[in-house]
């Protein structure tokens, strides 16, 4: 399925999804096919939830790469923050999804607390809902990417 996703040649692509839905896997499949600058929001957690967004946004602003791809759970917060600040929204949003059962297996295999990780879904849903209220008619292309 990843080879069916066609990214734009320029602009911003944000890959979102709950924990263990295949975001990083998808980005790793895309990397060899597209010349782009890639960010994983997990790499910025040392800055804390809020400050990480500002660091990523500044790097996006100053990057000369025509195509920019951001993936990670923080992608939901990034979308909301862009809308809150009146910044340009992405050209494409790819939402990774997987069944609860598949996610539970993946989370457990990573040695994480399954229930605590799944509980974050509610928070991320709220953040995404906030974003949709702030940007009710976005112009970006939306792709739903299901992993098994």
């Amino acid at each position: 399925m990843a080879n069916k996703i066609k990214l734009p040649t320029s602009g911003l692509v944000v890959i979102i999804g709950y924990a263990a839905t295949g975001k990083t896997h998808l980005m790793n499949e895309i990397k060899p096919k597209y010349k782009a600058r890639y960010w994983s929001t997990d790499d910025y957690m040392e800055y804390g939830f809020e400050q990480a967004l500002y660091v990523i946004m500044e790097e996006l602003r100053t990057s000369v790469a025509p195509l920019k791809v951001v993936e990670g759970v923080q992608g939901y917060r990034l979308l909301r923050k862009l809308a809150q600040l009146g910044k340009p929204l992405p050209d494409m949003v790819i939402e990774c999804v997987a069944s609860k059962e598949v996610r539970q297996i993946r989370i457990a295999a990573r040695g994480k607390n399954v229930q605590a990780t799944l509980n974050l879904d509610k928070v991320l849903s709220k953040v995404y809902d906030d974003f949709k209220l702030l940007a009710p008619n976005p112009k970006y292309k939306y792709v739903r990417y299901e992993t098994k």
Side-chain angles (χ1 to χ4, degrees), residues 44-116:
Y44 293 82
M45 293 317 299
E46 67 189 76
Y47 297 102
F49 283 114
E50 186 75 16
Q51 190 58 33
L53 298 176
Y54 289 102
V55 173
I56 293 168
M57 287 188 298
E58 180 61 15
E59 289 185 17
L60 288 168
R61 188 187 70 75
T62 59
S63 173
V64 296
L67 179 60
K68 302 162 183 73
V69 179
V70 178
E71 81 66 36
V73 171
Q74 278 279 80
Y76 290 107
R77 289 184 171 94
L78 178 62
L79 291 173
R80 182 177 66 182
K81 185 58 71 179
L82 291 170
Q84 286 172 334
L85 298 175
K87 303 283 186 188
L89 298 179
D91 299 281
M92 175 183 259
V93 172
I94 302 170
E95 184 173 21
C96 294
V97 296
S99 72
K100 183 177 180 182
E101 293 77 19
V102 167
R103 293 179 59 224
Q104 288 173 326
I105 292 167
R106 291 176 182 168
I107 294 164
R110 295 174 185 169
K112 306 268 183 169
N113 181 308
V114 174
Q115 195 55 54

Side-chain angles (χ1 to χ4, degrees), residues 103-132:
R103 293 179 59 224
Q104 288 173 326
I105 292 167
R106 291 176 182 168
I107 294 164
R110 295 174 185 169
K112 306 268 183 169
N113 181 308
V114 174
Q115 195 55 54
T117 303
L118 292 176
N119 287 344
L120 292 174
D121 294 358
K122 293 175 191 157
V123 173
L124 296 174
S125 287
K126 167 82 170 83
V127 170
Y128 198 38
D129 288 344
D130 290 349
F131 162 69
K132 289 188 266 187

Side-chain angles (χ1 to χ4, degrees), residues 1-7 33-34 141 143 145:
M1 170 87 174
N3 39 352
K4 292 183 179 180
I5 297 174
K6 182 156 175 48
L7 301 186
K33 298 174 181 120
Y34 293 93
K141 180 177 180 182
V143 176
Y145 178 73

